[in-house]
Amino acid sequence: MNSPFEANAPATAPLSLLDVTLEYPDGQGTIKALDSVNLRVAAGEMLSLIGPSGSGKSSLLAVAATLVRPTQGLVMIDGTTASDLNDTEMTTLRRETVGIIFQQPNLLASLTAVEQLMISDHLRGKPLKAAKKRALELLEIVGLAESARKRPHQLSGGQRQRVNIARALMGQPKVLLVDEPTAALDHERSASIVRLLAQVTKEFSVATVMVTHDTEFLALTDSVATMRDGVLGAVEMAGV
Ligand code: ADP
Ligand code: MG
């Protein structure tokens, strides 16, 4: 495929989409949200996905996250072909390999930051003590060591998005899928969120895809590709 990271992306790249098409029913006919999309993202690579509204960016993330099955084509995550799995197996694969970050952090109002993270490990059946240790480490990495005991209403929008990022990393994902993480933030906070995502992509060697409107932050990421009418353009180096 056409990633500049091709040389470093063996067949076991954490995320591959092979000829993926997704159609939604639309009145009498169908609408093609994704049209024969090929994509490979290497470990430690952060790809920015841009393109007009309605071009299929969120659809690409939904298919890569195994939240939606493609009409055609293969989604491979961490060496496993998702389309070969039944729904239960697919949920397990997602829980163990994919971190998902959407625009709105969607935190539980009554829980502290550290509890938000612990609960995601608890749902994976992990022991609480280990979960707490990892949660505190991750909060420190995202710059929230001092805010571990704060609840969402005591945090700023940027801090809430940092909790969201730390929570997505709790399951030690191989793939991080991020949909417009800065849409609700001012310029300065947006830049620091994108910088943080680039940092954790390297630090944890995840394959990250970030949908963004903020073309000014592309240089903080490794590569960029544009969606148009469900068609994914060539992946290029960002900032060149
Ligand atoms: P983007 O994220 O780039 O704005 P989307 O992936 O959300 O684009 O949408 C791509 C196309 O698929 C649009 O035409 C949209 O209306 C359509 N679409 C997205 N989700 C659904 C759905 N759940 N049901 C039907 N059509 C959908
Ligand atoms: Mg979208």
Side-chain angles (χ1 to χ4, degrees):
M1 265 134 283
N2 44 13
S3 162
F5 288 76
E6 179 72 7
N8 306 321
T12 52
L15 177 65
S16 305
L17 273 59
L18 301 175
D19 209 21
V20 165
T21 292
L22 174 67
E23 291 173 343
Y24 290 113
D26 182 46
Q28 307 291 352
T30 56
I31 187 161
K32 230 179 223 181
L34 298 175
D35 190 351
S36 303
V37 168
N38 286 291
L39 178 66
R40 182 185 282 191
V41 188
E45 176 182 356
M46 182 170 178
L47 170 84
S48 294
L49 189 59
I50 58 177
S53 177
S55 59
K57 304 182 298 298
S58 295
S59 297
L60 189 152
L61 291 190
V63 164
T66 74
L67 290 166
V68 174
R69 284 182 190 269
T71 315
Q72 255 187 83
L74 299 180
V75 175
M76 297 185 67
I77 296 172
D78 194 27
T80 300
T81 304
S83 33
D84 289 346
L85 307 179
N86 66 32
D87 287 355
T88 310
E89 293 166 335
M90 207 135 108
T91 302
T92 304
L93 176 72
R94 184 184 318 125
R95 218 179 254 163
E96 291 178 351
T97 60
V98 182
I100 301 174
I101 297 166
F102 291 136
Q103 178 178 334
Q104 296 296 339
N106 199 15
L107 302 174
L108 296 160
S110 61
L111 298 186
T112 63
V114 67
E115 289 165 350
Q116 311 274 352
L117 271 61
M118 286 170 68
I119 204 169
S120 74
D121 246 23
H122 183 62
L123 293 172
R124 291 186 184 89
K126 301 272 170 65
L128 275 183
K129 203 168 166 190
K132 184 165 187 180
K133 183 166 177 284
R134 181 164 171 77
L136 290 170
E137 285 167 5
L138 282 171
L139 286 173
E140 185 166 355
I141 286 169
V142 302
L144 289 180
E146 311 298 311
S147 303
R149 264 126 208 128
K150 290 189 178 160
R151 294 176 210 285
H153 73 270
Q154 298 168 300
L155 299 169
S156 70
Q159 289 174 323
R160 285 196 289 270
Q161 194 55 289
R162 283 166 189 274
V163 175
N164 199 16
I165 292 166
R167 181 175 57 180
L169 292 167
M170 274 300 277
Q172 299 181 278
K174 300 288 199 299
V175 175
L176 212 48
L177 301 169
V178 194
D179 203 347
E180 309 225 16
T182 61
L185 303 178
D186 64 31
H187 180 87
E188 204 175 308
R189 288 200 175 105
S190 297
S192 74
I193 289 293
V194 178
R195 244 181 248 116
L196 174 62
L197 287 164
Q199 177 200 324
V200 300
T201 296
K202 301 288 175 256
E203 195 163 340
F204 296 99
S205 274
V206 291
T208 299
V209 181
M210 176 181 71
V211 169
T212 184
H213 268 120
D214 296 316
T215 48
E216 60 202 295
F217 301 136
L218 295 184
L220 299 172
T221 69
D222 299 305
S223 48
V224 58
T226 306
M227 288 285 300
R228 258 177 229 294
D229 296 331
V231 177
L232 185 68
V235 176
E236 291 168 31
M237 301 291 285
V240 274

